[in-house]
Amino acid sequence: MRKPKSYYIETYGCQMNFSDSELVEGLLAGGGMRPAPSPDKAELVLVNTCGVREHAEQRVFGRLGALKTIKSGADFMLLGVIGCMAQRLGGKILEQAPWVDLVAGPDAYRALPQMLDELAGGNAVQLAQLELDGKETYEDLRPRRADPISAWVPVTRGCDNFCSYCIVPYVRGRERSVDADTVERWVRREVEGGAREIVLLGQNVNSYHDGDTDFAALLRRLDKVEGLGWLRFVTSHPRDLSDRIIEALAQCPTLCEHLHLPVQSGSDAVLGRMNRGYTRNYYLERVRALRQAVPGISLTTDILVGFPGESEEDFSRSVALMEEVRFDYAYTFRYSPRPGTRAGGWDDSVTDAEKGRRLEQVIALQLLHTRGALEAMTGRVIEAIPVREARSGDGKLQARTRSHFNVFLSADKSTVGKLLKVRITGNTGMNLYGELAE
Ligand code: SAH
Ligand code: SF4
Ligand code: F3S
């Protein structure tokens, strides 16, 4: 065996995983490997996986099956599984997919070049998932970014919240923050490199802290970086949404008028069993404070239906909360038991059919609310950044708004990456249409 010369990375899961893939790419490209355009042209294929729901893992096993076919048709190809599912299942992945050559969890990426050396030296399958070291931040690595306009900057890794349904704390380890000087340096580098938008990342990003620098202080510091267009961050935990952060949102010009604030449920009984650390009233109070400080702020959320013991009454509290807040968008999920989590050992009592019915109901309700939010924007002039030519092929550009919607507009390709004023002319129910306003 020899060392692979080219790589291809396929990524599943959340933005943190996509950001990690950019770091791994940086590591591999820095070591002299070149990116391949597709898996069948790559000598190393890495699948960066998510384990948050069972369905996510099943998809990966399906994909590994397809990659086996590609591998057996190739002269030389190594296959690796990295990310959260690699951390959760470790060597068990090889029982189901013995054609896999290496397995590495989220804290083990520095070991990848060495693992490839070992494989080249004839050593068998490489496993480096077992120890989460709890301190790794990869802050010295240079990502190889795919998106020239928007740059992810991971500022915390791991999570200490242990929501009872969630696998993340087990596969990502304890929460750690990158020191503030490093974050600022990273942001400056990205802005100098042409990024218009910076997205700060963390599982629980707003609990960031480095000495005296809390998240609000970090935001204020980054807001002053010269040349920065937009600043945003995901994912915020309602419990850690301090008044100081809300003030920063109101006062920092670069901070976008958008917040993703997962509520999960509108029932106090369910929130308690989920170990979310807040009540329905607390959440609604934070929403009021946000809307008072930042009028028109776009709010998006996650809704989890069918949690163990969620009664019809509990579920109706989630629906009522959605009605009360009227989110701009909601990511909706049906509960999936995760072995090893606290709730994973509880009676998964809501039937599949009932989970499906509840999911359909919240999806339909959210579609109405999203459409209403888009309609209310007709005629308004807003800031948008074109990110690419629209896939529709009608010559339109696809742009992003500060409120995180897509807007399709007729404008010259040369405007890609520029901050524009756009008048909203209509919507598709999920995306906006607009025209240049000046
Ligand atoms: N750190 C973020 C994201 C966590 S995972 C946060 O706290 O919001 C993203 C979403 O997946 C969660 O918000 C939750 O709604 C959903 N999720 C997590 N575990 C799940 C499970 N076991 N079954 C179904 N959905 C789940
Ligand atoms: Fe999971 Fe809760 Fe941490 Fe989010 S805050 S990653 S849902 S444990
Ligand atoms: Fe999935 Fe890991 Fe993100 S479990 S949601 S990829 S942190």
Side-chain angles (χ1 to χ4, degrees), residues 11-18 20 48-53 56-57 83-85 106 166-169 171-172 203:
T11 309
Y12 296 82
C14 65
Q15 281 152 316
M16 188 60 106
N17 246 20
F18 281 83
D20 279 359
N48 192 358
T49 58
C50 171
V52 83
R53 283 168 288 275
E57 296 194 347
C84 299
M85 184 181 158
C166 184
I167 195 72
V168 171
V171 292
R172 289 267 172 183
Q203 303 307 333

Side-chain angles (χ1 to χ4, degrees), residues 94-108:
L94 304 170
E95 288 164 23
Q96 281 201 54
W99 56 92
V100 165
D101 302 289
L102 76 85
V103 178
D107 277 355

Side-chain angles (χ1 to χ4, degrees), residues 80-82 86 90-91 93-94 100-105 115 125-129:
V81 179
I82 63 176
I93 289 176
L94 304 170
V100 165
D101 302 289
L102 76 85
V103 178
M115 291 167 85
V125 178
Q126 292 297 307
L127 286 175
Q129 85 294 347

